[in-house]
């Protein structure tokens, strides 16, 4: 029986010519080793040659692998030409067994001379370093991805324009708030000019991390326009709840329970009214659509970022009254943070779009869950790092090529 992944990839190739699906189909073809398949994919990419047409077979050292590859190429070409995935699926389901290696494997009692005894299964040791909230978020999102990222660490995650945009914008804001710790409406024009200059400088510094000149210019213009909206929000907030920025990119490394955690808080504000703190995370990607949605993510243990910041400051003796995610993605809409006010365990929860409340009891449960997850990871007793069952979790995963257990996107399941 085929895995749905293979069936869906065969369909994606035959119907749409999906090249990523085709590469996975080669990796999933048993007569060709994963090393040979990966080499063929890399060669085809480097030569900008379709994998189905690749004729340089010197990299396939075994004659039976070459033969299998030619058969696989014929099947994928036919599947595409006839818009029919079935024969290709059949090939993957019942790969040819006529080669010498396969025949030898089926001689009763005989094992190939090169066969090795399987290694005894052992727990996978996990790296002994402090936990970050983003690592825990990844762990609950997809344990398989966490395993690839933090245990195997096989590849450097490539720079994406979105990541470069975020890094440059963070750098500009860090410098900006070191100069403007007490924003106010009276400083609006001065702040606008200065932040604009800092954004331009930050994107110039980040130029090597973008692939093209056009990309860096587009992202810089987006950031400049978003920066104006950020200043609007700063002025409005300073008028409503005067504050001083007391921390920028602050490194925190609290011990929570018996676990060591580490992270950087983008910004910490102290309110003049009562001396309490707001912990702020800048978001240059997608965020929850409302305070209620974010609170539910915290309650379901799907997001530990702001709870972690909260506890890092509480344990340092501060009183944190607000948690905020500041969206810096879109320049076409005002900057309206998702903001949660911390209330007592028995206070009724309130929600009003982007603003809402979160109870201290929810934050305590999130803290306890962080410690539990840390203990589970350190126990080295995890025998299976399960893949996510949610296709959305795979959207930005760099390990999709290596992950044969990934779930299929909803549209593809019903595309036949
Ligand atoms: S492709 Fe999806 S299931 Fe696989 S590791 Fe990545 S996020 Fe997890």
């Amino acid at each position: 029986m085929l895995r749905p992944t293979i069936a869906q990839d065969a369909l994606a190739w035959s119907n749409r010519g999906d090249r990523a699906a085709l590469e996975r189909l080669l990796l999933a073809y048993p007569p060709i080793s994963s090393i040979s398949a990966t080499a063929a994919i890399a060669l085809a990419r480097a030569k900008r040659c379709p994998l189905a047409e690749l004729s340089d077979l010197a990299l396939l050292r075994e004659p039976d692998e070459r033969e299998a590859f030619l058969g696989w190429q014929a099947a994928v070409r036919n599947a595409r030409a006839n818009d029919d995935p079935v024969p290709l699926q059949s090939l993957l389901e019942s790969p040819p067994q006529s080669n010498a290696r396969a025949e030898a494997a089926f001689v009763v009692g005989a094992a190939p001379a090169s066969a090795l005894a399987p290694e005894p299964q052992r727990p996978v040791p996990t790296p002994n370093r402090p936990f970050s909230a983003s690592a825990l978020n990844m762990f609950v999102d997809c344990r398989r991805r966490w395993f690839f990222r933090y245990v195997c660490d096989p590849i450097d995650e490539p720079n994406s324009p979105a990541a470069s945009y975020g890094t440059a914008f963070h750098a500009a804001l860090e410098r900006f708030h070191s100069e403007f710790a007490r924003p106010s409406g009276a400083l609006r024009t001065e702040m606008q000019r200065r932040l604009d200059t800092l954004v331009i400088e930050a994107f110039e510094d980040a130029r090597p991390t973008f692939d093209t000149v056009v990309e860096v210019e587009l992202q810089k213009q987006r950031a400049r326009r978003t920066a104006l909206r950020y200043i609007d929000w700063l002025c409005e907030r300073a008028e409503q709840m005067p504050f001083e920025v007391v921390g920028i990119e602050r490194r925190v490394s609290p011990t929570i329970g018996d676990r060591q955690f580490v992270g950087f808080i983008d910004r910490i504000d102290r309110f003049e009214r009562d001396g309490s703190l707001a912990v702020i995370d800048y978001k240059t990607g997608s965020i929850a659509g409302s305070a209620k949605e974010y609170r539910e993510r915290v309650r379901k243990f799907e997001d530990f970022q702001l709870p972690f910041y909260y506890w890092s400051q509480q344990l340092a003796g501060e009183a944190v009254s607000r948690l905020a995610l500041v969206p810096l993605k879109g320049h076409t809409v005002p900057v309206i943070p998702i903001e949660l006010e911390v209330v007592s365990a028995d206070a009724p929860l309130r929600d009003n779009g982007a603003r809402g409340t979160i109870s201290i009891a929810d934050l305590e449960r999130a803290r306890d869950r962080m410690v539990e997850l840390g203990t589970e990871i350190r126990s080295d007793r995890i025998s299976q790092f399960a893949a996510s069952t949610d296709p959305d979790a795979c959207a930005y995963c760099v390990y999709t090529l290596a992950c044969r257990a990934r779930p299929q996107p909803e549209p593809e399941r019903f595309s036949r």
Side-chain angles (χ1 to χ4, degrees), residues 142 144-145 148 387-388 393-394 397 399-400 403 405-407:
C142 177
R144 180 74 51 97
R145 184 176 181 183
F148 285 145
S388 172
C394 311
C397 178
Y399 307 110
T400 48
C403 180
R406 71 189 171 79

Side-chain angles (χ1 to χ4, degrees), residues 138 141-148 385-407:
M138 187 184 289
D141 223 20
C142 177
R143 290 183 173 213
R144 180 74 51 97
R145 184 176 181 183
W146 183 91
F147 170 74
F148 285 145
F385 289 86
S388 172
T389 55
D390 177 6
D392 290 346
C394 311
Y396 301 105
C397 178
V398 293
Y399 307 110
T400 48
L401 197 59
C403 180
R404 295 170 65 176
R406 71 189 171 79

Side-chain angles (χ1 to χ4, degrees), residues 310-321:
Y310 173 86
W311 285 110
S312 74
Q313 295 308 291
Q314 289 286 126
L315 291 171
E318 297 284 2
V320 179
S321 60

Side-chain angles (χ1 to χ4, degrees), residues 245-261:
V245 177
V246 293
I248 316 160
E249 292 291 328
R250 179 177 296 172
R251 185 181 191 278
V252 288
S253 53
T255 300
I256 304 178
D258 56 352
R259 297 285 151 208
Q260 186 77 42
F261 291 83

Side-chain angles (χ1 to χ4, degrees), residues 71-124:
W72 177 89
Q73 282 183 312
V76 299
R77 283 196 299 264
N78 284 339
R80 183 76 183 116
N82 301 325
D83 204 11
D84 178 7
V86 176
L88 177 56
Q89 287 177 37
S90 302
L91 179 79
L92 288 154
E93 189 174 31
S94 310
Q97 297 291 340
S98 59
N99 59 54
R101 199 177 348 156
E103 281 165 13
F106 280 96
V107 173
V108 178
S114 58
L116 298 172
E119 279 189 49
Q121 289 195 348
R122 291 190 301 266
V124 178

Side-chain angles (χ1 to χ4, degrees), residues 192-338:
Q192 284 175 339
R193 287 201 189 117
R194 185 60 184 145
L195 184 53
D196 189 51
T197 302
L198 291 172
V199 166
I200 292 170
E201 288 175 6
F203 277 78
E204 284 306 311
D205 291 346
R207 193 171 275 274
T209 67
F210 289 91
D211 283 343
T212 64
V213 174
V214 173
E215 193 66 64
V216 69
E217 290 303 324
L218 285 174
Q219 300 293 354
K220 183 166 64 182
Q221 296 311 323
R222 174 160 75 110
R224 291 178 69 187
R225 287 193 287 267
T226 307
L228 288 175
R229 295 189 176 271
Y230 178 81
I231 298 292
D232 289 343
W233 166 66
L234 272 187
C235 294
E236 188 184 317
R237 187 173 179 86
E239 192 174 322
Q240 291 172 354
M241 297 183 288
F243 64 92
E244 178 183 5
V245 177
V246 293
I248 316 160
E249 292 291 328
R250 179 177 296 172
R251 185 181 191 278
V252 288
S253 53
T255 300
I256 304 178
D258 56 352
R259 297 285 151 208
Q260 186 77 42
F261 291 83
V262 71
F264 290 85
I265 305 178
D266 288 337
R267 201 178 103 199
I268 304 173
D269 295 349
R270 188 181 298 285
F271 294 112
E272 289 180 3
R273 182 190 56 199
D274 60 4
S276 67
L277 299 185
V279 287
I280 290 171
D281 197 33
Y282 300 137
K283 288 291 179 195
T284 51
S286 301
I287 62 171
S290 67
K292 182 178 179 186
E293 186 183 329
Y294 184 73
R295 184 181 64 232
E296 290 311 304
R297 287 182 58 78
V298 172
R299 293 174 101 170
K300 287 194 256 173
F301 307 131
E302 293 174 354
D303 195 308
F304 296 102
Q305 200 83 46
L306 292 182
F308 167 63
Y309 292 169
Y310 173 86
W311 285 110
S312 74
Q313 295 308 291
Q314 289 286 126
L315 291 171
E318 297 284 2
V320 179
S321 60
R322 286 172 184 270
L323 320 173
L325 302 172
V326 176
L328 298 174
K329 182 182 179 188
H331 60 275
T332 56
V333 289
V335 169
I336 301 177
I338 298 296

